[in-house]
Every structure is written in C-alpha cells, then in structure tokens.
Amino acid sequence: MRRSFPAALLLIVGLLLLLDLLVANPSLDALTGGIGQVVVVLFAAAALLGAGALAARHARGTLDPDGDRVGSTLVLVGMAVVLIPGLLAPEGASSAPVRWVVGALLVPIGASLLALTAVFVIPAARRGIRLRGHDNGVLLLAAMVTIVLLLPLGGAIGEALASAAGWLLQVPVGGVFAGLLLGLALATAVAAARVLFGLGGADD
C-alpha cells in the first residue's frame, strides 16, 4: 500500500499532464492549473521548512566551538537581510526595501556567479573543438547564436536581434520545452504504471 499509492498518484498526474498537452479542454486546463497551484504551495511549504532547518543548523553552528562560526553567522545575517524587509513591509515582495535588496544584493551576486561559468565554459569549448564531434559543433553554434542575440546593442541592429531572440524563445525553444514536458509526463506515467502493476523495478 505504501508503495502503490505514490505510484498511482504519479500515474494519474502524469496522464493528466499528458492529456492537457494533447487535448484543448477548458475543464482539463482548470484541473491541471489547480494541480499546478497545489504543487506551488507544496514547494513553498518545503522552502519554508528548508529555510527553517537551515537557520536552526547554522544557529547551532554559531555556538559550536569546533564549527565554522563565521560562515554560520554570515548565512544567518544574509537570511535576515533578505527576509526581514519582506516580512516588515506591508506591500510584501513589491515594497521598496525588498526591491532594493533584490536589485542591490541578489542580482549582482547572481550575475557574478553566472559570470564564473565562463571560466568552465571556455575550457569545455576548447576540448569540444579538439574532439571535433558533431554534437559539440551544434552546442558551440547554439552558444554563439545565443551570445550574439543577447548583445546589448541599440538602434536597428539591436531591435533586429531582440526580435530574433524573441522568435527563438517562442518557436524552437518553446517547442523543445513542450516536448520535454510531454516526454516527462509520459515517462512518469509509464514508470508509475510499471511500479503500480509490478512489471519490474524502476531501473529495468
């Protein structure tokens, strides 16, 4: 029973998502939208529990003489800087203090972390060129096209690049993303059905 209930739930959700991608039905759209809202609530609850567990762990770390007190303190201070403005402001996430925290702290930190990926992407590209594989060439070409489309240029050239980037995001990338969702729903339903009906393990 413990094993069959999660498998049956995965089977039902996977089939509903699959049908929603294949059939245009308002009732089905509303049902899958409700499922999506439930999933969002569950993820939010999991995030709150994870944040609480992280804060409790580092609070104990500040009292541990053998632990990293400085690191634990920085984690707690960072969490407080992000959470306190949102909790105290009546507007919530749309308040000016929260926007300042996001714009002045989180965005530069995220940009710096993304910039560090260049250190790993460039050597990987060099190794891919040396291997001379077809797949590596496609990946490098896609990366070059993406970089060109995201160049911060103005004028007619910038508008043309922005239009091309929008088309690329909506048509080919959107199609690939829809295909991934379709494949994920189908694979989830098949795996759940195999477990539910005892047709073999998950690794078969």
Side-chain angles (χ1 to χ4, degrees), residues 29-177:
D29 290 340
L31 179 59
T32 54
I35 294 175
Q37 293 179 0
V38 171
V39 171
V40 170
V41 172
L42 292 177
F43 273 109
L48 290 176
L49 291 175
L54 181 65
R57 177 182 178 183
H58 285 285
R60 292 193 301 268
T62 57
L63 302 176
D64 187 4
D66 297 329
D68 186 7
R69 291 185 174 182
V70 176
S72 297
T73 303
L74 289 177
V75 171
L76 294 176
V77 171
M79 294 179 66
V81 168
V82 175
L83 290 177
I84 289 177
L87 294 176
L88 296 180
E91 299 86 357
S94 60
S95 62
V98 175
R99 292 200 302 268
W100 181 86
V101 169
V102 173
L105 297 179
L106 297 183
V107 172
I109 292 174
S112 301
L113 292 177
L114 289 176
L116 291 176
T117 58
V119 179
F120 303 99
V121 170
I122 293 176
R126 292 180 57 185
R127 287 193 294 269
I129 294 174
R130 291 177 182 176
L131 293 176
R132 297 180 181 180
H134 177 71
D135 296 338
N136 295 326
V138 173
L139 289 175
L140 290 176
L141 179 62
M144 292 175 60
V145 170
T146 303
I147 292 174
V148 172
L149 292 178
L150 294 179
L151 289 177
L153 300 178
I157 297 178
E159 294 180 358
L161 291 178
S163 177
W167 176 86
L168 185 66
L169 180 63
Q170 294 178 3
V171 179
V173 176
V176 171
F177 185 71

Side-chain angles (χ1 to χ4, degrees), residues 185-201:
L186 184 60
T188 301
V190 171
R194 287 172 61 87
V195 176
L196 181 62
F197 296 109
L199 298 178

